[in-house]
Amino acid sequence: MKKKIAVIGAGFSGLSAAAYLAQAGHDVHVFEKHDRPGGRARQFTTGQGYIFDMGPSWYWMPDIMDGFFADFGYKTTDFFELVPLNPQFQMIFAEDKISIPDRIEELKIVFEEIEKGAGRQLEKFMHSAKFKYEVGMQDFVNKPCHSWTEFISIQIAKSALRLDLLTNFRSYVSRYFKSDKLRTLMEFPVIFLGASPKNIPALYSLMNYGGYALGTYYPMGGFYELVLAMKKIAEKQGANFYFNKTIESIDAQDCEVKSLIINGQKYEYDAVIASSDYHHTETLLKREYRNYDDNYWKKKMFAPSSLIFYLGINETIPNLKHHTLFFENELDEHIDCIYKDKKWPEKPLFYACCPSKTDGNVAPKGKENLFLLMPLATGINDEEPMREKYLSEMLSRIERLTGLCNLQSKIEYKKSYCVSDFLSDYNAYGGNAYGLANTLGQTAVLKPKIRNKKLKNLFYTGQITVPGPGVPPSIISGKIVANEINKN
């Protein structure tokens, strides 16, 4: 039966849900508080000619994006050019650096040079990771996770031991590699799942396969090209988009949502999907209609926030790749500051993205677009002097790598973004940047539910609920919730 459906938020999960629901014949209306789609993946342009992606920059798991477009009869190449990066990225250590080539055979050689026998171990690791990826990304992540019974199947039963659900990621990696550098390299992808590798299930070695084996890509024009393409898909199906629209309350009675108050006006809908922050969405409801109380959220482990700088540099930067990870300091020290001590790190790690190395359109000729990101604890004070202190730290380490002097003086555009900005722009709980941590105790059925338990026509999607944080999981999340509505 055709329904009039409101989608709150035009991030990846909202775009995905809108496209699938409109395809099924529903009357879909997407409301976004900002002036453009994308959520955390918005883009902005400066007067000096720089184009900055605000959030995601790692195009991993390309098959998930390909699958989305294929569901509507399109290919990724119908909308943008996807360029493979080689090297995929470089990782900087205190004494040296590692460049990650785009082919596994070449990566095996790199591993072997660092640790004898590690090339063969990488092959074994990736063989297992491929299995986890195929089972995890096909069987596991597409479940609505109402109940554990959804996971009772012959395929999953056969796969249970090989998925290593009860082994922590750090112990798992240590089975294969002895070198601290190689272990750090293999652990890095799970940091943004929201916890220490000691608390992340080994299942998530699937991320190593989804990145290192399937490759790291860049959409020419920026990651925002994926946002624009998904919006076009949704519009082609008949979805309607409205910007600068703030949801002020969700009104319900008789066990269902009746209407939304948007910019002071009342709009009635048959169903509502919230791709907005889960906790914030619930504050728009009367307390008796909420799935979870404040104590529930206080006990949850959230993925990090971030300190981000968007910098326009008035000359080219030598020896810097598209993606560079600065890991000269101890990984665990930084991780403890995020999840245990909840403070600014004394010896930080950080990430630098320089898309102008690949795409000449994101910065004026002879200049660089530089995006710096340092993972942080949620809820901490992020006043400007503290932000500037860490900018100086990051720039000095880039200078050591590149041989440049006084990089600060070469900045002609600068914008910072941190905890309080995530909170004000996205109503992100604690100012988190990546959603809820994917620990074993917060996986699948143990995540916040995609359906409201008291209101039969209110649903949730995005990185707080299933399947979890990241662009591909958010796209999948939108499809899951659309399927739930289509069942009714």
Side-chain angles (χ1 to χ4, degrees), residues 64-79:
I64 303 301
M65 279 68 102
D66 290 346
F68 171 83
F69 291 109
D71 284 344
F72 299 93
Y74 294 97
K75 297 178 181 178
T76 307
T77 52
D78 293 330
F79 298 92

Side-chain angles (χ1 to χ4, degrees), residues 60-99:
W60 274 5
M61 303 184 184
D63 56 313
I64 303 301
M65 279 68 102
D66 290 346
F68 171 83
F69 291 109
D71 284 344
F72 299 93
Y74 294 97
K75 297 178 181 178
T76 307
T77 52
D78 293 330
F79 298 92
F80 51 82
E81 179 187 0
L82 202 57
V83 178
L85 299 182
N86 187 25
Q88 298 187 48
F89 61 92
Q90 63 178 349
M91 182 172 275
I92 310 303
F93 295 98
E95 304 297 332
D96 57 8
K97 60 187 178 184
I98 302 175
S99 288

Side-chain angles (χ1 to χ4, degrees), residues 136 138-152 156 278 291-292 443-453 458-462 464-468 473 476-488:
Q138 291 176 18
D139 292 339
F140 267 48
V141 300
N142 291 297
K143 306 289 186 186
C145 297
H146 299 308
S147 164
W148 289 114
T149 58
E150 296 169 28
F151 296 89
I152 299 175
I156 292 177
Y278 201 123
N291 272 353
Y292 308 103
T443 294
V445 177
L446 302 177
K447 285 187 179 294
K449 299 299 184 184
I450 66 168
R451 299 190 70 146
N452 187 285
K453 303 170 187 176
L458 176 58
F459 302 80
Y460 308 85
T461 186
I464 299 291
T465 184
V466 293
I476 293 169
S477 184
K479 184 176 183 178
I480 290 172
V481 80
N483 287 340
E484 286 298 293
I485 288 181
N486 289 333
K487 288 178 185 176
N488 295 339

Side-chain angles (χ1 to χ4, degrees), residues 84-147:
L85 299 182
N86 187 25
Q88 298 187 48
F89 61 92
Q90 63 178 349
M91 182 172 275
I92 310 303
F93 295 98
E95 304 297 332
D96 57 8
K97 60 187 178 184
I98 302 175
S99 288
I100 307 305
D102 65 347
R103 298 183 60 212
I104 284 293
E105 289 304 313
E106 294 176 8
L107 185 58
K108 284 166 60 178
I109 295 172
V110 172
F111 272 54
E112 192 66 30
E113 290 173 348
I114 295 172
E115 176 185 319
K116 187 176 181 179
R120 173 61 178 153
Q121 288 297 94
L122 177 64
E123 187 176 323
K124 292 179 181 178
F125 184 99
M126 285 300 179
H127 178 76
S128 179
K130 180 181 180 181
F131 174 81
K132 292 181 177 70
Y133 187 86
E134 291 173 344
V135 174
M137 299 309 290
Q138 291 176 18
D139 292 339
F140 267 48
V141 300
N142 291 297
K143 306 289 186 186
C145 297
H146 299 308
S147 164

Side-chain angles (χ1 to χ4, degrees), residues 333-366:
E333 284 188 30
H334 192 135
I335 286 175
D336 285 346
C337 289
I338 296 173
Y339 303 114
K340 183 179 176 182
D341 302 324
K342 295 280 186 178
K343 66 178 185 179
W344 286 83
E346 294 179 12
K347 297 179 179 179
L349 312 176
F350 73 97
Y351 157 62
C353 178
C354 193
S356 47
K357 295 296 184 185
T358 304
D359 188 348
N361 293 317
V362 299
K365 187 175 181 179

Side-chain angles (χ1 to χ4, degrees), residues 3 44 159 260 348 406 425 435-436 452 472:
K3 297 177 181 178
F44 70 92
S159 307
L260 302 177
N406 197 10
D425 274 4
L436 205 62
N452 187 285

